[in-house]
């Protein structure tokens, strides 16, 4: 899977993608992450990426020309394979784990557009559709962030863990068996804080794997 991120703050991504599981996934060539500075796709001296909104109002709008140029460049890197353009938008369709699974299965490239200011010139959607490419507006939750960079990290992280080989064997197996969100404990068996004892559920210490399995399934259903 190749991820192309279009942003005006490329450095934001440096540290997150250079650590842990996602770093390993890139080294193993299971995923490829390319970050594009939108300013590199402008044609004017000042590298302008935004302008005033038609109809008036506060805030600025991201200009369509550099965005389309950046998408065109990213798309040219993956020919004859399925790509999807994702526009982050607070009022877009709610992104969830099922979507992450489907994206990982169906596409070879995701081109992620990180909005800033008041958002992106609305015409981008029509242009991309007329170009016969797929585009979706996605939200990562019912709140407004300052930009689409955190949503891009969220999406790349959750889609990547669905790609075979990205997670360690045991980790992916546990998730498949029980689903996400299983409560877990480790040593010490008794943790004491301010004279109070916090214990590990007894069943987990019992060594009875059937009982443990039953407890885990129940805990997930109840949570
Ligand atoms: N008034 C604008 C609106 O309602 O769309 C707010 C834009 S927000 C300050 C700037 C950018 O951050 C958006 O264009 C989008 O790319 C991103 N963004 C903010 N919140 C988001 C969310 N919950 N999910 C996905 N993207 C979000």
């Amino acid at each position: 899977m190749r991820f192309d991120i279009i942003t005006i703050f490329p450095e934001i991504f440096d540290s997150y993608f250079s650590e842990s599981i996602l770093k390993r996934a890139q080294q193993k060539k299971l995923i490829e992450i390319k970050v594009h500075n939108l300013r590199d796709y402008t044609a004017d001296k000042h590298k302008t990426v935004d302008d005033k909104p038609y109809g008036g109002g506060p805030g600025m709008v991201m200009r369509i020309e550099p965005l389309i140029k950046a998408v065109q460049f990213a798309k040219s890197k993956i020919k004859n394979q399925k790509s999807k353009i994702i526009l982050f938008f607070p009022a877009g369709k709610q992104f969830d784990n099922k979507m992450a699974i489907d994206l990982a299965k169906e596409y070879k490239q995701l081109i992620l557009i990180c909005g800033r200011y008041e958002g992106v010139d609305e015409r981008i959607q029509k242009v991309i559709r007329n170009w016969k490419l797929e585009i979706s507006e996605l939200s990562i939750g019912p709140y407004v962030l300052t930009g689409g960079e955190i949503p891009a990290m969220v999406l790349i992280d959750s889609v990547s863990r669905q790609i075979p080989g990205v997670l360690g064997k045991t980790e992916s197996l546990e998730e498949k068996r029980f689903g996400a969100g299983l409560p877990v404990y480790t040593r010490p068996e008794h943790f004491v804080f301010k004279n109070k004892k916090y214990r590990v559920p007894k069943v987990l210490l019992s060594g009875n794997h059937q009982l443990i399995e039953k407890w885990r399934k129940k805990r997930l259903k109840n949570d």
Side-chain angles (χ1 to χ4, degrees):
M1 169 74 84
R2 175 175 161 132
F3 299 97
D4 286 88
I5 307 169
I6 300 171
T7 173
I8 56 169
F9 296 112
E11 279 105 29
I12 285 181
F13 298 94
D14 291 348
S15 104
Y16 194 72
F17 293 139
S18 312
E19 302 285 347
S20 183
I21 291 175
L22 294 185
K23 177 185 175 184
R24 210 177 53 217
Q26 290 172 85
Q27 286 168 338
K28 284 173 96 189
K29 308 229 176 303
L30 296 169
I31 61 168
E32 197 180 354
I33 303 172
K34 297 283 173 200
V35 185
H36 306 271
N37 186 343
L38 185 62
R39 294 193 194 278
D40 295 341
Y41 297 86
T42 53
D44 65 308
K45 200 170 83 188
H46 301 291
K47 300 186 179 291
T48 320
V49 290
D50 60 330
D51 210 332
K52 286 180 277 185
Y54 278 117
M60 300 293 269
V61 176
M62 292 179 82
R63 295 174 49 227
I64 194 164
E65 297 104 315
L67 282 169
I68 291 297
K69 269 195 196 155
V71 173
Q72 225 170 350
F73 178 79
K75 180 61 199 155
S76 74
K77 298 290 166 194
I78 294 278
K79 286 181 191 133
N80 309 319
Q81 302 232 50
K82 242 179 137 188
S83 303
K84 186 178 187 111
I85 291 113
I86 289 168
L87 191 56
F88 292 110
F89 187 55
K93 196 168 171 195
Q94 171 71 55
F95 179 68
D96 60 18
N97 212 45
K98 157 112 186 28
M99 236 183 250
I101 294 169
D102 294 344
L103 288 172
K105 261 195 207 139
E106 277 179 43
Y107 298 92
K108 279 281 164 277
Q109 181 188 35
L110 297 174
I111 302 173
L112 313 176
I113 300 177
C114 306
R116 280 270 158 178
Y117 319 119
E118 280 307 303
V120 169
D121 187 321
E122 185 68 21
R123 288 171 293 180
I124 191 161
Q125 302 231 32
K126 260 198 184 156
V127 174
I128 302 257
R129 290 209 171 96
N130 285 340
W131 185 7
K132 303 279 181 266
L133 289 178
E134 292 180 41
I135 181 164
S136 283
E137 279 188 331
L138 297 186
S139 166
I140 62 154
Y143 37 75
V144 181
L145 301 164
T146 50
E149 286 75 13
I150 291 175
M153 287 191 234
V154 168
L155 185 139
I156 291 176
D157 192 311
S158 55
V159 171
S160 297
R161 3 185 20 266
Q162 302 301 334
I163 294 169
V166 167
L167 289 186
K169 249 189 201 145
T170 38
E171 213 174 347
S172 53
L173 225 146
E174 278 302 271
E175 218 169 271
K176 264 198 198 110
R177 273 183 341 134
F178 296 107
L182 190 70
V184 289
Y185 301 82
T186 187
R187 285 190 288 182
E189 202 177 306
H190 297 146
F191 174 64
V192 183
F193 184 69
K194 296 197 184 217
N195 296 325
K196 247 188 137 178
K197 243 187 198 175
Y198 298 84
R199 295 170 201 277
V200 172
K202 264 199 189 127
V203 60
L204 297 181
L205 308 169
S206 68
N208 185 331
H209 295 294
Q210 262 183 343
L211 271 183
I212 294 173
E213 193 118 333
K214 212 169 136 191
W215 179 86
R216 284 181 169 157
K217 278 188 182 137
K218 199 166 158 233
R219 272 302 302 267
L220 266 179
K221 268 184 217 143
N222 294 343
D223 286 342

